[in-house]
Amino acid sequence: MSHILIAQTVVLVAVSLAVLYPVVAYARTLLYTEAVAMLAASLLVFSAGSLVEEGLGMVTPAEGVYLLSALCFAGAAWLFAREFIRIDSGGFDADDATPGASPGFAEAADTDGIEGGFGATTEGEDGE
């Protein structure tokens, strides 16, 4: 069982370092530097939780470490998405639509030159 724990820890740390590498190597040109660093921190904290649970056998403290890892991941997701979220803007209302426009495909024009579409075909018109 310890060989699996060592292999799992090595893989998790390697993935964490691979995620962290662009932050260190390309810090000036990388967008969302803090978010990538937080994502790598989430993986490292998860690796520590795995070691606490499997290596030391302490399940309850490991759950706290996993919670910290989840919070780091949520922080990374927020750092990635914060520019695209507008809290102060209103919801999707019918008033937002342009006047006179109907929703859906009710007024869509038939531009293919097909008069009846598939609904007007009979059994004998299947290409034979």
Side-chain angles (χ1 to χ4, degrees), residues 29-64:
T29 59
L30 180 68
L31 290 174
Y32 307 112
T33 306
E34 299 90 8
V36 175
M38 186 69 79
L39 186 63
S42 171
L43 286 169
L44 286 172
V45 172
F46 183 82
S47 302
S50 175
L51 284 174
V52 168
E53 181 179 10
E54 298 295 326
L56 301 176
M58 297 188 293
V59 177
T60 304
E63 293 299 323

Side-chain angles (χ1 to χ4, degrees), residues 28-118:
R28 284 186 258 150
T29 59
L30 180 68
L31 290 174
Y32 307 112
T33 306
E34 299 90 8
V36 175
M38 186 69 79
L39 186 63
S42 171
L43 286 169
L44 286 172
V45 172
F46 183 82
S47 302
S50 175
L51 284 174
V52 168
E53 181 179 10
E54 298 295 326
L56 301 176
M58 297 188 293
V59 177
T60 304
E63 293 299 323
V65 176
Y66 289 145
L67 176 64
L68 181 62
S69 173
L71 291 174
C72 288
F73 184 79
W78 170 253
L79 289 173
F80 277 117
R82 68 181 169 183
E83 292 181 21
F84 306 104
I85 297 174
R86 293 187 182 97
I87 297 173
D88 59 345
S89 66
F92 297 106
D93 293 333
D95 297 334
D96 293 340
T98 57
S102 64
F105 297 102
E107 295 179 10
D110 187 15
T111 58
D112 294 334
I114 300 172
E115 293 179 13
F118 291 116

